Amino acid sequence: MARKTTTDDPLAPVTLAVGQEELLLDRAVQQVVAAARAADPDTDVRDLMPDALQPGTLAELTSPSLFAERKVVVVRNAQDLSADTIKDVKGYLGTPAEEITLVLLHAGGAKGKGLLDAARKAGAREVACPKMTKPADRLAFVRSEFRATGRSATPEACQALVDAIGSDLRELASAVSQLVADVEGTIDEAVVARYYTGRAEASSFTVADRAVEGRAAEALEALRWAVSTGVPPVLITSALAQGVRSIGKLASAPRGARPGDLARELGMPPWKIDRVRQQMRGWSADGVAIALRAVAEADAGVKGGGDDPEYALEKAVVTIARAARAGRR
């Protein structure tokens, strides 16, 4: 009988890693392998793609060994296994072998859902590895990376790192590791700027920040740099929309409310409330409406509605910056 484990034990008989974020999937595998090799340095690791796992292969890999060696069997893209192999895996889930840990990596969609359900029903240890598509998710990831190292970073530093690096979790994790290794004490926004200034200046959010602050020349410079370094135009229009909407939300919020209360009501972190308050000086309700129309036109332009996406972005940036300055006259 397989050893009984808690759901948090990486040496549970079966680990189910669910999602499409490659870094998190790899980490789930690494955690199991590290735990197995800590228990037995001679642990045998088999890392397999679906085409390498034919009917009968799992039985061979999990058959008792004369030397009772520990083994980790990793099956990637388990949702793509053949119907016959899925039957083998389901059968194994009911009676997992001693000293063997099976790790199933599953995308989590409808394909192969029967295997996913069977593993869960069998009590598999589950690790969530969702694709992080939202900026807020990536920000939370960066914060957790710093916490895992026992180091502190300011909220502004975490946001600056996400703005500078972008959506690649591997690069974000690598950047955190570099900063932690190189910098003593609390990591702040100035440190991030020093290390990643070129990338930060090219980020879509820098373009948006300069535009909503009415700094047209700086916004255009950041825009041209961003485009030249390969930042997708759709990310820039998204950042512009987010910047203008944040100003509109805060402008319509009750006056005198505390940042913490506003953060909960508007769905923004408290530090961002302070930043948007500074950016919204000079904005009017008409200005917000004009800016939102400019963003919508730019969005259509970069998605095939125009001949020159860069011109569409430049026009939107200039319009937004003018709207930001209009109330200051």
Side-chain angles (χ1 to χ4, degrees), residues 191-220:
V191 170
V192 175
R194 188 165 70 246
Y195 272 74
Y196 299 100
T197 182
R199 299 184 69 161
E201 288 172 0
S203 78
S204 55
F205 289 101
T206 299
V207 178
D209 284 342
R210 299 296 87 81
V212 299
E213 289 162 4
R215 296 153 66 179
E218 293 177 44
L220 287 172

Side-chain angles (χ1 to χ4, degrees), residues 97-295:
E98 283 277 8
E99 304 303 320
I100 292 178
T101 299
L102 175 64
V103 184
L104 299 173
L105 275 57
H106 194 292
K111 187 177 182 181
K113 189 174 183 300
L115 176 59
L116 192 64
D117 293 341
R120 286 169 170 162
K121 186 175 181 180
R125 167 180 174 263
E126 186 166 343
V127 180
C129 306
K131 197 74 175 174
M132 296 191 181
T133 57
K134 298 179 180 178
D137 293 337
R138 294 191 287 273
L139 182 59
F141 171 78
V142 168
R143 288 172 175 164
S144 69
E145 289 291 289
F146 279 117
R147 283 197 300 270
T149 67
R151 295 290 299 280
S152 61
T154 65
E156 293 83 0
C158 294
Q159 183 64 57
L161 197 60
V162 172
D163 290 348
I165 301 299
S167 60
D168 191 314
L169 253 59
R170 291 186 191 278
E171 290 194 29
L172 284 169
S174 176
V176 170
S177 297
Q178 181 181 15
L179 290 170
V180 167
D182 293 356
V183 180
E184 295 182 358
T186 299
I187 295 164
D188 59 20
E189 190 173 13
V191 170
V192 175
R194 188 165 70 246
Y195 272 74
Y196 299 100
T197 182
R199 299 184 69 161
E201 288 172 0
S203 78
S204 55
F205 289 101
T206 299
V207 178
D209 284 342
R210 299 296 87 81
V212 299
E213 289 162 4
R215 296 153 66 179
E218 293 177 44
L220 287 172
E221 182 181 359
L223 171 63
R224 288 161 189 158
W225 182 263
V227 171
S228 71
T229 55
V231 177
V234 291
L235 292 185
I236 298 174
T237 55
S238 176
L240 290 170
Q242 184 175 327
V244 175
R245 286 181 187 135
S246 294
I247 287 171
K249 284 182 180 179
L250 193 56
S252 61
R255 293 184 178 276
R258 294 179 299 178
D261 296 334
L262 285 174
R264 286 189 293 273
E265 182 178 343
L266 303 180
M268 299 180 193
W271 65 264
K272 189 171 183 180
I273 296 290
D274 293 333
R275 175 182 289 183
V276 176
R277 270 180 173 160
Q278 295 175 355
Q279 293 174 334
M280 66 186 288
R281 294 168 185 162
W283 279 91
S284 65
D286 289 341
V288 171
I290 290 169
L292 286 174
R293 282 197 297 271
V295 172

